[in-house]
Amino acid sequence: MSNDEFYAERTHAATFLFEVDDIEIGRFMEVSGLQVDVEVEEVQEGGENNYVHKLPGRMSWPNIVLKRGVTQNDSLLTWLNKSSGEGFSAGGNKLTRKSGAITLITADGTRLRAWNIDGAFPVKWTGPSFAVSSTDAAVEELEIAHHGFRARDL
């Protein structure tokens, strides 16, 4: 069995643990937005006609979106309410960015991979859609803005 097959087998039915300032916020069935884009600056050198120098520029990080089945835990909305609206004004209109972590946990409970998230704060919460005829599970999602992420040692 190759390493890729081994990890694919272990991550089947995996969950993602999300923590903020080392406090567990919840476990999620889907995470998207773990991505970084690096702008490329092109510099033309006089006399050099074979190529253009390419240098790394600013990095940009899309928002991270976490999805899970609806639970009785209100930690997602609580964090959102502290970071916006009346919670934001009660804090003197100062945003307190948090450190976050996303950890991939396999079906057998092994922590396989993790990422630290810098300067995170919630920007959107979406609740479940309701339809009498639907058999879909009730899902909520949280979108988080941040200043970047890096691999975390386990």
Side-chain angles (χ1 to χ4, degrees), residues 27-118:
R27 291 179 184 247
F28 295 81
M29 59 188 186
E30 187 177 325
V31 175
S32 61
L34 283 174
Q35 174 184 331
V36 59
D37 295 312
V38 180
E39 291 179 12
V40 176
E41 181 182 344
E42 294 187 354
V43 178
Q44 296 181 11
E45 179 181 358
E48 178 57 71
N49 295 323
N50 292 324
Y51 61 88
V52 174
H53 295 281
K54 295 190 178 200
L55 303 172
R58 284 196 172 137
M59 298 168 79
S60 63
W61 312 84
N63 291 345
I64 293 173
V65 178
L66 305 161
K67 292 183 183 178
R68 71 174 181 188
V70 172
T71 69
Q72 291 182 336
N73 184 327
D74 286 333
S75 57
L76 303 182
L77 282 173
T78 300
W79 186 31
L80 177 69
N81 290 333
K82 287 180 181 177
S83 302
S84 59
E86 292 175 2
F88 179 70
S89 21
N93 293 335
K94 292 185 180 180
L95 180 63
T96 303
R97 293 178 179 267
K98 303 285 186 176
S99 296
I102 296 171
T103 304
L104 171 60
I105 300 177
T106 63
D108 67 3
T110 304
R111 290 176 179 243
L112 187 61
R113 187 82 195 265
W115 299 267
N116 281 338
I117 303 166
D118 300 322

Side-chain angles (χ1 to χ4, degrees), residues 6-25:
F6 174 76
Y7 287 116
E9 183 179 299
R10 292 191 72 190
T11 57
H12 182 71
T15 60
F16 301 91
L17 170 64
F18 180 58
E19 300 166 291
V20 173
D21 290 341
D22 296 321
I23 297 170
E24 183 174 325
I25 297 294

